[in-house]
Amino acid sequence: MSALRILVPVKRVIDYAVKPRVNKAQTGVETAGVKHSMNPFDELSVEESVRIREKKSAPGGVEDICVLSAGPAKAQDVLRTAMAMGADRAIHVDVKEGEDLEPLTVAKLLKAAAERERSNLVILGKQSIDDDAGQTGQMLAGLLGWPQATQASKVEFGEGDTVTVTREVDGGVETLRAKLPMVITTDLRLNEPRYASLPNIMKAKKKPLEKKTLADFGITNDKRLKVLKVTEPPARQGGGKVEDVDGLISKLKELGAI
Amino acid sequence: MSPAPNPELRRQVIAIYKQLLFLGRDYPQGYAWFRERLHRAFAAKAHLTDEAEIRKALAHADFVRKEIEALYYLKRYRTLRQRYDGA
């Protein structure tokens, strides 16, 4: 049984509690001066990899937990948070503010990173709460030629490098079994991520953080998709009150419902 | 805690106070609201000198820390479930 080398990609996104506002040019949402935090689904994947180590659920043990984030310099904050939660080290791939990567580019980057770090398990969030593409994990598995288990709600390890993943599907659960190396994406009920406490954040500052660029991985940021326009959803139309049953019927007739 | 308190307990009290302040940054009613109340709660117990009493208060502070962490987790979980699970 080989020891696990887990790669956990994380993304810095606008905090889930913030209501996003569309910018004036209608090209995206306003990000300046808005609270950011780690993508909640990525927190689940960090937590899961730390739990695999703490519960010793993998027979070969966990050799390394490496978190990776591609983004502006502030992405280092979420890497520190991930290390405070228990990851061993971090890689920050510098991408300038506003030059967001598309899922395919991210998948190519992660493929190069997984090969460089000799990872045998990649745990990703199933989607990010800003772009909601939900494609990176699947494309990464395709590029690497590894088995994939998406939207895991339970991960168990067996003999001979096998991993059993349970996923919630409509009306029940589905169980998948595959051999390492593999790609897993996390769903909401996989675990309860811990809070990165202040002392742990301080300790995490001593953990190694590598700085890289896209070129170090031989990747260029090619755009295949173009955002034409971003608009707010239409405001909800207010309801009206009717006096009595006759009023209701006449109102419905007026609207052509009966 | 002026009359020569146990330095170890004093350190623990300050540590949990800092931790709670840090947690308060994300508090739903805002940091200012939280900080004032936290300060009041600690000030109300500043007169304690008995070690057992201080330990009890520390245990309570730790309980509050766990409650706040659970509150944040549940708040986020419920929001995400509403957004992504269609429940």
Side-chain angles (χ1 to χ4, degrees), chain A residues 42-112:
Chain A
D42 296 342
E43 268 182 24
L44 290 158
S45 43
V46 175
E47 176 69 26
E48 188 61 20
S49 47
V50 176
R51 283 193 188 194
I52 292 170
R53 167 179 283 163
E54 285 174 351
K55 291 190 176 164
K56 300 187 170 41
S57 48
V62 177
E63 187 189 323
D64 178 53
I65 301 173
C66 178
V67 286
L68 182 145
S69 187
K74 284 199 180 137
Q76 289 180 9
D77 295 349
V78 302
L79 291 173
R80 296 277 175 217
T81 312
M83 287 195 282
M85 289 170 76
D88 296 322
R89 60 201 180 88
I91 300 173
H92 172 225
V93 181
D94 194 44
V95 177
K96 278 197 197 69
E97 190 92 50
E99 289 183 12
D100 293 344
L101 305 177
E102 287 173 8
L104 180 62
T105 319
V106 178
K108 284 178 180 166
L109 168 70
L110 293 178
K111 174 178 188 273

Side-chain angles (χ1 to χ4, degrees), chain A residues 18-248:
Chain A
V18 175
K19 191 176 181 296
R21 304 225 169 268
V22 174
N23 64 12
K24 284 215 178 73
Q26 294 199 323
T27 52
V29 291
E30 199 63 66
T31 54
V34 175
K35 187 187 174 201
H36 283 66
S37 53
M38 195 196 304
N39 179 26
F41 291 110
D42 296 342
E43 268 182 24
L44 290 158
S45 43
V46 175
E47 176 69 26
E48 188 61 20
S49 47
V50 176
R51 283 193 188 194
I52 292 170
R53 167 179 283 163
E54 285 174 351
K55 291 190 176 164
K56 300 187 170 41
S57 48
V62 177
E63 187 189 323
D64 178 53
I65 301 173
C66 178
V67 286
L68 182 145
S69 187
K74 284 199 180 137
Q76 289 180 9
D77 295 349
V78 302
L79 291 173
R80 296 277 175 217
T81 312
M83 287 195 282
M85 289 170 76
D88 296 322
R89 60 201 180 88
I91 300 173
H92 172 225
V93 181
D94 194 44
V95 177
K96 278 197 197 69
E97 190 92 50
E99 289 183 12
D100 293 344
L101 305 177
E102 287 173 8
L104 180 62
T105 319
V106 178
K108 284 178 180 166
L109 168 70
L110 293 178
K111 174 178 188 273
E115 283 165 356
R116 198 181 82 113
E117 302 300 328
R118 292 179 289 111
S119 309
N120 52 12
L121 179 63
V122 185
I123 308 183
L124 307 87
K126 68 168 177 173
Q127 60 188 192
S128 65
I129 61 164
D130 53 357
D131 290 338
D132 284 319
Q135 301 166 352
T136 310
Q138 290 86 329
M139 291 202 280
L140 173 66
L143 289 173
L144 284 163
W146 292 3
Q148 60 173 320
T150 55
Q151 308 185 5
S153 64
K154 199 172 174 189
V155 178
E156 292 155 309
F157 292 84
E159 286 304 309
D161 284 356
T162 57
V163 185
T164 309
V165 173
T166 309
R167 50 203 300 265
E168 289 176 6
V169 292
D170 286 344
V173 291
E174 185 178 80
T175 310
L176 303 172
R177 185 172 299 129
K179 278 201 161 198
L180 291 175
M182 73 181 297
V183 175
I184 296 175
T185 70
T186 60
D187 203 354
L188 195 53
R189 268 178 286 283
L190 181 61
N191 55 43
E192 298 91 45
R194 67 196 67 188
Y195 200 84
S197 70
L198 185 59
N200 284 343
I201 288 176
M202 291 303 167
K203 279 180 214 153
K205 289 192 175 164
K206 295 201 182 82
K207 290 186 178 179
L209 190 149
E210 258 186 280
K211 286 181 191 136
K212 294 276 173 193
T213 60
L214 285 177
D216 293 336
F217 292 97
I219 308 280
T220 49
N221 185 10
D222 301 322
K223 295 270 185 198
R224 289 167 168 248
L225 305 170
K226 193 174 162 198
V227 176
L228 297 178
K229 198 175 170 191
V230 178
T231 53
E232 303 255 4
R236 189 177 167 276
Q237 304 276 318
K241 269 192 182 171
V242 289
E243 285 298 317
D244 49 15
V245 178
D246 291 341
L248 174 66

Side-chain angles (χ1 to χ4, degrees), chain B residues 9 17-18 24 68:
Chain B
L9 281 180
Y17 185 65
K18 280 187 184 169
I68 296 173

